[in-house]
Amino acid sequence: MNNFPWENRPDNCRDVMWRSSRNPIIGRYDTAISNSIFNSAVVPFGNGYAGVFRCDDKAVRMNIFVGFSSDGVNWKTSDTPIRFEPGNTQMIDSDYKYDPRVTWIEDRYWITWCNGYNGPTIGIGYTFDFKTFYQCENAFLPFNRNGVLFPEKFNGRYAMLSRPSDNGHTPFGDIFISFSPDMKYWGEHRCVMKVAPFEESAWQCLKIGAGSVPFLTEAGWLMFYHGVIRTCNGYRYSMGAAILDEKNPSKVLWRTRDYLLGPAAPYELVGDVPNVVFPCAALTDSNRVAVYYGAADTTVCMAFGYVDEIIQFIKTHSL
Ligand code: BMA
């Protein structure tokens, strides 16, 4: 792919992943109405890329917006939120929408997001063309966040990671998996990953949540996730990665003890919510991976790495 968004590792970089020199690739005021654009998801589409973006407007109302790009770096994002038609239900109530993920499964792009329905829960929708969007039943009862679909079915069933939560700034949280035969009814909920002990891996000791859509590697499903520690200045969000079993994705094979990316760049340290690195998407092109993450709840940024090096890092710096 010659329009894969990519930058080589800088000469002075000793880390397994590195930031884009063009960060933030999307600024807070890049649409006409936005206060902030962050925690957003992109996928290959046509000859380029499409994405679903979280924009909070200047009334600080949370909603999701479609965007397009030929190179994955320069984005044109709509000034009006996505309007959904009824999909597998007439009940498409939504007080707000945020933190979208996009997953290609079989014949369409599925979108999951945190949907306001008497509190946060997981909303589901789909599109074939990023023009017409259909909304389905919410996956779960409130309260839940960080719903991430696998790109493949397991024994004919869709699989989704999620993070049961509370109605506020949840001071706890583990990652669960649920299955559905039809994208409407979800069950067989299993715990996948819990927070880490403070003494072993403090950056992920308060709560964790699925980040990017998992992609298959020779070691298993590779997924970037966020981990949170509570400091005397509030929550601090970093990015780690886990490898889940190819056939049984509720089984964690390895997960990082050391974070892959912690808030350190100025745009991650300063913003509407300081100290947040929040991955929501990853593009791959053979051994290259480009991660999209929200920085400080304000902008969209990118980081890069090589899949084989990341797998090696996860195995050798594992919890
Ligand atoms: C979470 C969500 C995310 C946000 C994070 C840090 O609860 O609201 O959208 O990035 O908090 O503020």
Side-chain angles (χ1 to χ4, degrees), residues 38-39 54 98-99 145 207 237 273 276 278 297:
F38 58 109
N39 300 1
R54 171 178 177 175
Y98 67 83
D99 294 0
R145 292 186 174 102
K207 55 178 170 175
Y237 285 68
V273 181
V276 181
F278 197 96
D297 286 13

